[in-house]
């Protein structure tokens, strides 16, 4: 009996230790005492940046996504290279692709001016993503807070294939999202973030020239700005991911897919005779359902392996580990 009791006690201790390592985020009141004006400070900078360039909303949202998929939501994507590590900015999925770092710098400076050393860069990314969506007409949600910042970043991790490429098949998309604890429904809803933003010719060229499940008029229109010849300055020409309402967060992305007008191969995979066809139809017909599922999925994504409690640090400059 004593042996059983001892084993039970050991098991309970292990459960407690494992639980404490997983990290637990708090509600939006996390900074209510130490930094009550954090939301106002962040929103003012985001609003100014998006007013100047609506595309920036999508860029800031994407930073949060690329941060969370690589070793969790720890702000590591923001770190510059140092003599001791090579960061994530020059990784294949990020190099000449991620943008908005200067806006994050401005947000961090604003927050530091009202409450220095309190708010993490990882939390700033989460709040900024939400505010960016709301500013373009998308859903609102309560951002869970309490993330702390990593001291390092990993080029190898960002290059390891955890980030789904624009050439991904449906099964690959499902697998990569499941690997970080997100369901197929989460994946389909989060893909709706492509209702805003733009992407370069090099990213969608193969889709418009090689795919057969694409509206020909749509493909021909895109070809005018994206020639088949590679290695020219036109590689960097951009096109809106949602040609209907590129600066408004709505459900038109899904109606585009119904009409075979997804700009990326991975976009059209959501409606190509597979398991997500029904979700695309639902979101096309019911924007409220899309908004609800998107908000739920964003909260889940923001909870991927956060550093909390005494883990990590609070960076004073998001580009370096203090």
């Amino acid at each position: 009996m004593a042996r059983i009791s001892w084993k039970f006690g050991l098991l309970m201790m292990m459960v407690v230790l494992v639980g404490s390592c997983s990290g637990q985020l708090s509600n939006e009141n996390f900074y209510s005492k130490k930094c009550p004006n954090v939301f106002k400070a962040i929103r003012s900078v985001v609003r100014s940046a998006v007013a100047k360039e609506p595309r920036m909303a999508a860029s800031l949202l994407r930073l949060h996504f690329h941060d969370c998929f690589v070793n969790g939501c720890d702000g590591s994507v923001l770190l510059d290279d140092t003599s001791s590590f090579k960061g994530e900015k020059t990784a294949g999925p990020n190099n000449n692709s991620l943008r908005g770092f200067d806006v994050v710098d401005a947000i961090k400076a604003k927050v530091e001016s009202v409450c220095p050393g309190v708010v993490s860069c990882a939390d700033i990314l989460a709040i900024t993503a939400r505010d960016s969506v709301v500013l373009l007409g998308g859903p609102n949600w309560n951002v869970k807070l309490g993330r702390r910042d990593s001291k390092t970043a990993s080029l190898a991790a960002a290059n390891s294939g955890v980030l789904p490429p624009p050439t991904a098949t449906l099964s690959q998309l499902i697998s990569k999202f499941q690997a970080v604890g997100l369901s197929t429904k989460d994946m389909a809803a989060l893909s709706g973030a492509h209702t805003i933003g733009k992407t370069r010719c090099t990213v969608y060229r193969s889709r418009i020239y090689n795919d057969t499940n694409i509206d020909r008029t749509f493909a021909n229109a895109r070809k005018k700005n994206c020639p088949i010849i590679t290695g020219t300055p036109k590689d960097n020409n951009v096109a809106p991911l949602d040609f209907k309402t590129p600066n408004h967060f709505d459900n038109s992305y899904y109606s585009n897919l119904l009409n075979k007008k997804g700009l990326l191969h991975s976009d059209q995979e959501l409606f190509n005779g597979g398991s997500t066809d029904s979700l695309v139809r639902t979101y096309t017909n019911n924007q409220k359902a899309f908004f609800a599922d998107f908000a739920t999925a964003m909260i889940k994504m923001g909870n991927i392996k956060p550093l909390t409690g005494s883990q990590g640090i609070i960076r004073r400059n998001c580009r370096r580990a203090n």
Side-chain angles (χ1 to χ4, degrees):
M1 187 71 179
R3 178 177 293 180
I4 293 175
S5 177
W6 177 82
K7 286 185 175 180
F8 179 79
L10 181 61
L11 178 61
M12 287 297 98
M13 185 172 70
M14 290 174 66
V15 169
V16 169
L17 286 172
V18 171
S20 66
C21 291
S22 62
Q24 187 67 39
L25 296 178
S26 304
N27 61 29
E28 282 205 330
N29 295 323
F30 185 79
Y31 295 113
S32 61
K33 293 183 179 180
K34 291 186 176 181
C35 193
N37 293 320
V38 59
F39 296 113
K40 182 180 179 181
I42 292 174
R43 194 177 302 115
S44 66
V45 180
V46 176
R47 183 184 292 114
S48 177
V50 173
K52 183 178 180 181
E53 183 194 12
R55 181 190 178 191
M56 186 54 66
S59 299
L60 294 171
L61 173 59
R62 191 161 176 251
L63 278 177
H64 183 43
F65 169 69
H66 278 234
D67 181 42
C68 290
F69 264 63
V70 180
N71 292 330
C73 308
D74 59 2
S76 59
V77 72
L78 303 173
L79 287 170
D80 288 339
D81 295 348
T82 71
S83 58
S84 58
F85 69 81
K86 198 164 180 63
E88 299 165 22
K89 290 182 177 179
T90 56
N94 299 338
N95 196 31
N96 296 319
S97 179
L98 287 185
R99 53 201 300 276
F101 295 107
D102 54 338
V103 176
V104 175
D105 290 341
I107 294 170
K108 181 60 172 173
K110 181 81 170 182
V111 172
E112 286 292 304
S113 71
V114 296
C115 43
V118 174
V119 182
S120 69
C121 299
D123 273 352
I124 284 175
L125 286 182
I127 298 168
T128 297
R130 188 270 310 277
D131 288 355
S132 296
V133 169
V134 171
L135 281 169
L136 293 190
N140 199 350
W141 64 91
N142 292 325
V143 180
K144 292 187 179 296
L145 299 170
R147 300 169 192 81
R148 289 170 65 84
D149 298 323
S150 65
K151 299 176 184 178
T152 186
S154 173
L155 177 69
N159 275 330
S160 67
V162 292
L163 289 162
T167 55
T169 63
L170 179 59
S171 62
Q172 289 171 335
L173 288 170
I174 292 171
S175 175
K176 290 182 186 298
F177 276 75
Q178 284 182 342
V180 292
L182 298 172
S183 68
T184 298
K185 178 187 279 191
D186 296 329
M187 180 275 292
L190 290 172
S191 296
H194 285 178
T195 185
I196 56 175
K198 298 177 182 180
T199 192
R200 294 180 303 145
C201 168
T202 53
V203 177
Y204 66 85
R205 177 184 280 122
S206 178
R207 161 81 173 144
I208 62 175
Y209 285 100
N210 299 326
D211 284 6
T212 56
N213 61 341
I214 188 169
D215 179 86
R216 297 323 307 173
T217 302
F218 172 75
N220 289 335
R222 298 283 79 79
K223 287 176 182 178
K224 292 177 182 179
N225 199 42
C226 183
I228 195 169
I229 300 172
T230 63
T232 74
K234 292 185 177 181
D235 282 352
N236 292 317
N237 286 353
V238 296
L241 289 160
D242 171 7
F243 74 97
K244 285 185 179 178
T245 55
N247 296 326
H248 187 65
F249 197 101
D250 56 23
N251 64 339
S252 63
Y253 164 82
Y254 297 101
S255 63
N256 292 341
L257 300 185
L258 286 183
N259 295 305
K260 298 183 179 180
K261 295 179 181 180
L263 186 60
L264 305 182
H265 179 85
S266 56
D267 287 333
Q268 197 59 54
E269 280 290 290
L270 297 184
F271 191 79
N272 193 35
S275 61
T276 52
D277 280 14
S278 60
L279 280 168
V280 172
R281 290 193 183 95
T282 296
Y283 295 153
T284 299
N285 296 322
N286 190 338
Q287 180 168 279
K288 187 176 180 180
F290 162 49
F291 278 12
D293 288 350
F294 181 85
T296 297
M298 284 296 294
I299 292 170
K300 287 178 65 176
M301 186 184 78
N303 201 30
I304 297 174
K305 295 192 298 184
L307 300 174
T308 59
S310 60
Q311 299 171 315
I313 58 174
I314 302 296
R315 290 186 221 138
R316 293 182 179 272
N317 180 327
C318 290
R319 292 177 180 266
R320 58 176 183 266
N322 295 343

